[in-house]
Amino acid sequence: MRALKNNDRVTSLLLAVLGSYVAFEGYSLKIGSLQDPKPGFLVFWAGILLTGLSLLLLIKTFRSLEAGSISPWKGLQWQKGLKIVIYLIVYVAVFKWLGFLISTFLLLLFLFKSLESQRWGTALLLSAGTTILCFFIFGYFLELRFPLGVLKMF
Amino acid sequence: MGFLEAVHLGIITAIQPASLFFCFVGVTIGTLIGVLPGIGTSGTVAILLPITFNLSPVSAIIMLAGIYYGAMYGGSITSILVNIPGEAASVVTCIDGYAMARKGRAGAALGIAAFGSFIAGYFGIIMLAFLAPALSRLAFDFGPPEFFSLMVLGLTLSTYIGSGSILKSLMMVVLGLILGCVGQDPITATPRLTYGSANLLDGLDMVPVVMGLFGLSEVMLNIEQNENRIIYQAKLKGLLPNIDDWKRSLLPIGRGSVLGFFIGIIPGGTAMVSSFVSYAVEKKFSKHPEEFGKGAIEGVAGPEAANNSATMGAMVPLLTLGIPSNVVMALFLAALMIHGTPPGPMLLVNHPELFWGVIFSMFIGNILLLILNLPLIPLWVKLLEVPYKILFPLIILFCLIGAFSVSSTTFGMGIMILFGMIGYLMKKYEYEAGPLVLAFILGPMLETALRQSLIVAHGSFSIFMQKPISMVSLVITILFLLFPLIPFLKKRWS
């Protein structure tokens, strides 16, 4: 039998709360009856089921003799994943304003340079080359409408 | 349409220049992603799905199918040479494939993997060509209760796919159903869980969700680990297996082909599952089970045949019933819907050129893969040397462009990032993304079938037990749900 970890307690509780909230939303949408199910029917029962299953997992973590705590973050450079998410959020925020070309070039430069140490020359060349190539392939050949952003002025 | 007429139509469609080109592109990309660890088939198909919007439905499906079965060929290369599976379905090939490479028999392992995949691929295509039309005719009699029960069975079996807890996978199925409810109600068009956002009225778009769960999250997980690849350095020789290798491999290839195909058909059965089952079967059948794990060629031939055959089997429920059996098939479902060619029994009637064209393109694709995988192996090995620090920004960029291309807004990108984080946390805490995605895609269809069945039956659940296929599906579902309780009950009784 797999060792149930303490981590499961936290996630099962979170999912139980989420399930309860969804059930409440389903109830607000109107459940209807078996003869005439309304829009909230599946939402409500799915919420109840998620809550029930989460509580079952929670109970299992307390009953399991093999319970222990293994951190899924230990010995790993999780900060890198966090950095990626931050860069991406900033990228989406400035995408329309700076346009595809500038924002993508900067994103790639950050990814090449700050997460894994690339040489400046390589990072610049790869970022510029990839951005221009993608712009032509997706924007020109596949007719995707990328925003030009500040470059629109030129 | 008669069989000979269908064959003629299929050949004509498959040898069109566009079909040949996209078949080549598909199998090449498939081999590439199979070779490169860090990006799987689901992620790649999701990334490339928006690109197919501009293609004809036939070209689009030919290319996506090529990626799917091409990845099965490519995955074996990394398993044998680097001991890192490029694809989940090639995990088991690492065991004996890498052991063979260490004994200086990498060439024979690669050769038998390619030939085994080729033979199984052809077997799978022939079975698909004969079985799908028959099943399609049967599916004409299916109503909402049958579809509902089959989808419930598929979702239940999907919880058995991964290596994780079945209870957690069930939770992910339910979460997927909830995510599938976002947007307008399929019957009354009432907005649900949209929180006033116009972007959510049509529901969560599948492409950014899958890209986040399988693309971005995978990058985030890979980047935090220190990479250490040891590539087999000796010169590759003897890619053609010798007579003894063939003698030992023919039966495992045959068994793997049959097993793989039927496991692929089962909802929830994946290429990965088929490869594991095949490995266990070969070990059981072998006269020298002690050689397994130390470089037994049967341990490469059987699973490699099984995983390729399973990809063909997986097409059967999708094309005939419109029910995807795994995540990649769910993406195919989306692609077919987007192109206005919904899969199901009517596909063969309304779009026979698509069905038969794709089947015959797979014959061509498997030949192309044999050519790509044997003489060009040194080239793929070179690609393995491309460091991940160069690859990962490109994967992220393709995910962003793919998410943007769906609606030409940054909303899709935001959804992709959100689900990237969710997928990352899910993997950290051992929750499977596969069942979630399958439920998310099947959710709206399942809900419609459930509500229609209940309305027709005036609220009585007995309608699901009155139709034989529905009843059998539900009984199997219940058995599978009760299966994990057996050890617990045994313990209590003893």
Side-chain angles (χ1 to χ4, degrees), chain A residues 82-102:
Chain A
L82 188 67
K83 270 187 188 175
I84 290 179
V85 171
I86 293 168
Y87 292 163
L88 291 182
I89 291 171
V90 175
Y91 175 77
V92 172
V94 299
F95 186 69
K96 277 193 175 164
W97 175 60
L98 280 181
F100 174 80
L101 286 169
I102 297 175

Side-chain angles (χ1 to χ4, degrees), chain B residues 179-483:
Chain B
L179 291 173
C181 288
V182 174
Q184 287 176 326
D185 172 55
I187 294 175
T188 63
T190 309
R192 300 184 301 188
L193 309 169
T194 57
Y195 306 100
S197 165
N199 287 310
L200 286 174
L201 277 180
D202 286 334
L204 281 166
D205 214 301
M206 191 199 61
V207 173
V209 170
V210 177
M211 274 178 184
L213 288 174
F214 290 95
L216 181 60
S217 67
E218 204 62 45
V219 170
M220 287 166 71
L221 284 168
N222 287 331
I223 200 78
E224 66 183 20
Q225 287 164 351
N226 289 321
E227 195 187 6
N228 188 20
R229 289 186 203 167
I230 304 158
I231 300 172
Y232 177 76
Q233 291 295 338
K235 196 174 173 358
L236 285 170
K237 53 185 179 183
L239 284 169
L240 294 175
N242 59 35
I243 292 177
D244 185 49
D245 292 334
W246 275 114
K247 270 187 193 165
R248 291 179 62 173
S249 304
L250 270 178
L251 276 174
I253 290 172
R255 282 191 289 261
S257 304
V258 178
L259 259 175
F261 184 80
F262 287 103
I263 290 174
I265 290 180
I266 301 168
T270 58
M272 183 184 75
V273 175
S274 73
S275 62
F276 275 99
V277 173
S278 167
Y279 189 81
V281 167
E282 290 319 318
K283 202 171 172 183
K284 198 102 181 152
F285 271 96
S286 175
K287 286 174 190 161
H288 309 284
E290 72 283 354
E291 283 181 23
F292 276 72
K294 293 170 192 159
I297 198 161
E298 297 92 331
V300 178
E304 279 301 315
N307 68 29
N308 210 38
S309 188
T311 60
M312 305 301 162
M315 302 258 181
V316 176
L318 176 76
L319 296 177
T320 57
L321 305 174
I323 299 176
S325 57
N326 59 50
V327 177
V328 182
M329 287 299 111
L331 291 164
F332 275 47
L333 172 79
L336 286 162
M337 301 281 245
I338 289 164
H339 283 100
T341 51
M346 291 306 286
L347 184 77
L348 256 169
V349 179
N350 294 338
H351 303 283
E353 77 292 346
L354 192 148
F355 180 84
W356 293 104
V358 170
I359 285 190
F360 279 89
S361 84
M362 292 200 254
F363 279 113
I364 299 167
N366 272 277
I367 296 172
L368 288 173
L369 280 165
L370 203 60
I371 299 166
L372 282 172
N373 276 266
L374 286 178
L376 297 183
I377 276 180
L379 181 79
W380 299 118
V381 175
K382 276 267 168 252
L383 270 173
L384 269 173
E385 289 166 13
V386 176
Y388 195 69
K389 62 183 178 183
I390 302 248
L391 280 180
F392 87 87
L394 305 181
I395 298 171
I396 292 176
L397 181 60
F398 289 139
C399 287
L400 285 167
I401 294 174
F404 176 76
S405 67
V406 176
S407 56
S408 292
T409 62
T410 49
F411 185 78
M413 290 178 175
I415 294 291
M416 194 275 293
I417 299 166
L418 176 69
F419 277 89
M421 290 192 286
I422 293 173
Y424 172 76
L425 291 172
M426 278 170 64
K427 279 171 191 149
K428 283 262 178 215
Y429 290 100
E430 297 173 3
Y431 287 87
E432 302 271 345
L436 183 146
V437 172
L438 209 54
F440 166 60
I441 291 164
L442 285 178
M445 287 191 277
L446 183 137
E447 183 183 10
T448 308
L450 170 68
R451 283 166 67 181
Q452 280 175 347
S453 305
L454 287 175
I455 290 168
V456 169
H458 304 291
S460 168
F461 276 103
S462 64
I463 192 170
F464 298 110
M465 298 313 257
Q466 284 163 2
K467 313 261 178 152
I469 290 172
S470 171
M471 187 184 70
V472 171
S473 305
L474 285 183
V475 168
I476 299 172
T477 303
I478 293 165
L479 288 176
F480 270 95
L481 285 174
L482 293 176
F483 193 65

Side-chain angles (χ1 to χ4, degrees), chain B residues 10-216:
Chain B
I11 294 171
I12 294 291
T13 312
I15 60 169
Q16 294 292 317
S19 303
L20 289 173
F21 174 73
F22 286 107
C23 181
F24 176 73
V25 171
V27 295
T28 310
I29 295 174
T31 309
L32 183 70
I33 58 136
V35 167
L36 295 174
I39 177 140
T41 329
S42 315
T44 310
V45 172
I47 289 167
L48 292 177
L49 193 58
I51 292 173
T52 68
F53 294 169
N54 292 338
L55 307 179
S56 73
V58 178
S59 301
I61 301 302
I62 283 177
M63 188 177 90
L64 295 176
I67 295 170
Y68 187 36
Y69 59 82
M72 300 302 141
Y73 276 80
S76 60
I77 299 175
T78 23
S79 295
I80 293 165
L81 297 178
V82 201
N83 201 22
I84 296 174
E87 254 305 301
S90 302
V91 169
V92 82
T93 310
C94 288
I95 306 170
D96 283 286
Y98 189 63
M100 280 180 78
R102 289 182 66 182
K103 284 181 180 173
R105 303 212 64 223
L110 289 164
I112 209 68
F115 282 115
S117 299
F118 178 79
I119 295 166
Y122 264 61
F123 170 82
I125 300 165
I126 293 166
M127 289 291 285
L128 174 64
F130 281 100
L131 208 64
L135 199 63
S136 214
R137 278 191 291 276
L138 190 75
F140 275 117
D141 296 330
F142 285 12
E146 282 92 347
F147 278 111
F148 170 78
S149 305
L150 278 170
M151 283 188 266
V152 170
L153 173 65
L155 292 177
T156 307
L157 292 181
S158 76
T159 61
Y160 281 79
I161 299 174
S163 51
S165 145
I166 291 169
L167 178 59
K168 282 181 168 181
S169 294
L170 270 175
M171 287 159 69
M172 290 302 102
V173 165
V174 181
L175 194 58
L177 287 176
I178 293 167
L179 291 173
C181 288
V182 174
Q184 287 176 326
D185 172 55
I187 294 175
T188 63
T190 309
R192 300 184 301 188
L193 309 169
T194 57
Y195 306 100
S197 165
N199 287 310
L200 286 174
L201 277 180
D202 286 334
L204 281 166
D205 214 301
M206 191 199 61
V207 173
V209 170
V210 177
M211 274 178 184
L213 288 174
F214 290 95
L216 181 60

